Amino acid sequence: MLDIKLIREEPEKVKEALQKRGADVGLEEILSLDQARRELLSAIEAKRAERNSASEGVGKLMREAGQAKKEGRSSAELEVEVGKLKERSSGLGKEIAELDNQLRPIEDSLRELLLLVPNIPHETVPVGLDASKNEIIRRVGDPREFGFEPKAHWDIGEDLNIIDFKRAAKIAGARFALYLGAGAQLERALINFMLDIQSREHGYTEVFPPVLVNKESMTATGQLPKFAEDLFKCADDDLWLIPTAEVPVTNIHREDVFPVGKLPVKYTAYTPCFRREAGAHGRETRGLIRQHQFNKVELVKFVEPETSYAELESLTADAESILQKLELPYRVISLCGGDLGFSAAKTYDIEVWLPSYNEYKEISSCSNFEDFQARRANIRYRPMEGKPLFVHTLNGSGLAIGRTVAAILENYQQEDGSVVVPKVLKTYLQMDTISV
RNA sequence: GGAGAGGUGGCCGAGUUGGUUGAAGGCGCUCGCCUGCUAAGCGAGUAAGGGGGUUAAGCCUCCUUCGAGGGUUCGAAUCCCUCCUUCUCCGCCA
């Protein structure tokens, strides 16, 4: 959520910034609602002040009247005054209620509209409206030269009998995977490996959160209200399946104020993730790339605003380190304005080389949300002096597990159909190669 | 799911015959005094959000908030209703 003050004071600047991401947001309605809200509020508050003082007067006079009676004096005059004040106060109460009834729908629609406004891109975000304008930041490692025709990971998986898409479809439907034997073990090994690196070497605190969350949590991180159709929802409860651990982990600190000196706070979490993939029909239907359920190790940071862009660089480096250790070739790109997610101010995607696609494929997305989520979730910190301020939140995949499995199978495949296990995983898997 | 007891400021914790209690007291924190240094002691300050005014920073003023939402009342932390949540006991259960 953007700061209403920013919209109020510099609407042109906000509009311009949002155009950078191709979002045509009608700020006019927001501005006029904001104006109406403040006018009503002033009127209501003036009347409340008046009513409060009248009510206070009632209390005072009643005490005086009680005192008078005790002393045997007449309290009749005072009681008349009390009656007048009560009447006045009561009348004001009705006026206030009336104005309140006008105010409420205005505040509701104002908030509704504000929740639909995306974040403002950072100044370093490349200009452009689609993926073709994304900027390549760096490449690490070279795609391997195969001396044979490399297979796609879904064929490798089925040939080695470690991934079964047909049975997964029978159990649940399209876009699900059933891992078997070494495949299931590889998935589990990667989860452990990534959590170990991020928690032991990079200082993230490991957490394991709920994977069903309520509406408030989904709203805080920006999935709701706008993207409900991308989510799985429980029919009889206000519970939603998380599309990423970002949701429950960021919400750990919803409504919190971090004490002085506590930041940065860093978490890593493994969770399954659930996405409806509405609108993705026919795209990447084969293999592990686009699933309704997939595993992911996530990195989440809460930081002070001044440091957030440096923290984005280090968070991205933390995610990259996994690919380096796995010796998988990848590149890092900076998303242009039009390709940016709703809540993000800046995003680096990390893309791993996939021989079957003959291109780099997203395996991690690392973003700085600045105070966009913090404002929605009311997450603040206490600076050395002054009032609490909103933190900046960041997160990134470190990494998506299924896509990592796909990358390992494809990049480490041998001509005989077996797959060599990456060096760093050998102790986790207790095997050197996966073969039939 | 059933029964009972709670949910108050950064933390702990008073406050139920409704009325200077936005909230005693304590802890913590900040500033000052005291002190050879530290500790102890003394004094003062210390919630958040939002409106309006004014300013160079600052400040003034009003409103809202005692789990959330309704209700009663001139007036509610205090009374009533609904919901959420925590704890204890019972039931159920991986």
Side-chain angles (χ1 to χ4, degrees), chain A residues 126-155:
Chain A
V127 175
L129 293 182
D130 61 62
S132 68
K133 298 293 192 301
N134 293 342
E135 189 181 314
I136 298 170
I137 303 295
R138 59 183 163 270
R139 276 176 219 269
V140 177
D142 294 312
R144 173 182 158 198
E145 294 289 339
F146 289 90
F148 57 93
E149 187 60 34
K151 295 194 284 188
H153 67 273
W154 50 87
D155 289 328

Side-chain angles (χ1 to χ4, degrees), chain A residues 270-430:
Chain A
Y270 150 72
T271 67
C273 302
F274 305 90
R275 300 186 182 178
R276 289 190 63 223
E277 298 295 347
H281 298 298
R283 282 171 61 196
E284 296 161 327
T285 48
R286 301 197 73 183
L288 294 170
I289 300 306
R290 194 174 293 274
Q291 300 276 293
H292 284 312
Q293 175 188 334
F294 63 96
N295 293 312
K296 183 157 62 66
V297 167
E298 184 75 0
L299 307 172
V300 176
K301 287 185 181 180
F302 302 84
V303 308
E304 295 187 15
E306 297 71 35
T307 67
S308 69
Y309 281 93
E311 293 284 0
L312 176 62
E313 296 301 321
S314 71
L315 184 142
T316 307
D318 292 338
E320 284 178 67
S321 77
I322 301 294
L323 289 169
Q324 287 164 16
K325 288 175 195 293
L326 290 171
E327 299 179 84
L328 290 168
Y330 69 91
R331 68 179 189 183
V332 178
I333 62 170
S334 178
L335 297 190
C336 72
D339 217 19
L340 221 47
F342 179 78
S343 303
K346 178 168 184 169
T347 298
Y348 290 122
D349 272 5
I350 302 172
E351 301 182 326
V352 70
W353 177 255
L354 275 190
S356 64
Y357 281 69
N358 199 37
E359 61 183 42
Y360 290 94
K361 199 77 204 156
E362 177 188 343
I363 197 167
S364 170
S365 192
C366 301
S367 303
N368 184 358
F369 302 92
E370 299 191 0
D371 62 7
F372 187 86
Q373 293 180 327
R375 183 170 286 108
R376 286 172 165 241
N378 198 23
I379 306 171
R380 293 167 298 167
Y381 72 101
R382 225 166 262 286
M384 287 303 277
E385 50 188 63
K387 292 187 165 192
L389 301 171
F390 289 120
V391 303
H392 280 193
T393 59
L394 302 93
N395 67 55
S397 344
L399 308 164
I401 308 292
R403 291 187 180 184
T404 307
V405 168
I408 289 172
L409 295 184
E410 293 196 6
N411 283 287
Y412 279 89
Q413 64 180 301
Q414 305 299 305
E415 191 161 13
D416 64 3
S418 67
V419 172
V420 171
V421 173
K423 281 202 275 297
V424 289
L425 291 182
K426 284 181 179 171
T427 48
Y428 283 90
L429 266 177
Q430 300 284 305

Side-chain angles (χ1 to χ4, degrees), chain A residues 62-259:
Chain A
M62 282 178 74
R63 252 172 285 134
E64 279 176 35
Q67 190 66 27
K69 270 186 188 166
K70 240 189 224 168
E71 294 168 5
R73 291 185 281 117
S74 161
S75 61
E77 222 170 276
L78 289 169
E79 272 160 23
V80 170
E81 280 303 305
V82 165
K84 279 186 190 165
L85 275 182
K86 277 191 182 178
E87 204 175 310
R88 174 142 159 257
S89 180
S90 173
L92 283 165
K94 282 190 190 101
E95 289 176 43
I96 291 167
E98 204 170 295
L99 291 176
D100 260 334
N101 285 337
Q102 291 175 40
L103 180 63
R104 195 170 309 179
I106 288 172
E107 291 201 313
D108 287 350
S109 14
L110 180 59
R111 178 170 171 79
E112 226 167 82
L113 285 177
L114 280 175
L115 285 176
L116 296 177
V117 178
N119 202 357
I120 289 175
H122 188 248
E123 59 190 10
T124 59
V125 167
V127 175
L129 293 182
D130 61 62
S132 68
K133 298 293 192 301
N134 293 342
E135 189 181 314
I136 298 170
I137 303 295
R138 59 183 163 270
R139 276 176 219 269
V140 177
D142 294 312
R144 173 182 158 198
E145 294 289 339
F146 289 90
F148 57 93
E149 187 60 34
K151 295 194 284 188
H153 67 273
W154 50 87
D155 289 328
I156 302 170
E158 296 202 324
D159 292 347
L160 289 173
N161 197 29
I162 58 174
I163 310 176
D164 189 329
F165 292 101
K166 285 197 182 68
R167 285 194 165 88
K170 177 177 70 180
I171 297 166
R175 297 197 191 280
F176 286 92
L178 168 66
Y179 293 86
L180 304 154
Q185 287 168 26
L186 177 59
E187 186 87 3
R188 176 161 57 90
L190 282 168
I191 293 167
N192 284 332
F193 168 66
M194 291 181 196
L195 283 174
D196 285 347
I197 298 296
Q198 303 300 5
S199 62
R200 291 174 192 165
E201 294 186 13
H202 300 150
Y204 292 80
T205 300
E206 184 175 338
V207 295
F208 189 64
V211 300
L212 291 175
V213 303
N214 57 30
K215 190 180 338 87
E216 287 72 30
S217 293
M218 283 294 188
T219 305
T221 36
Q223 281 73 26
L224 290 177
K226 198 168 178 190
F227 304 103
E229 63 180 22
D230 297 336
L231 303 170
F232 287 105
K233 182 186 191 307
C234 298
D236 295 329
D237 302 280
D238 174 32
L239 287 171
W240 305 67
L241 279 75
I242 59 168
T244 159
E246 161 194 350
V247 178
V249 175
T250 304
N251 276 281
I252 290 173
H253 292 296
R254 177 147 53 90
E255 309 290 341
D256 274 359
V257 179
F258 290 101

Side-chain angles (χ1 to χ4, degrees), chain A residues 260-275:
Chain A
V260 174
K262 184 83 196 295
L263 299 177
V265 167
K266 300 156 62 171
Y267 294 110
T268 184
Y270 150 72
T271 67
C273 302
F274 305 90
R275 300 186 182 178

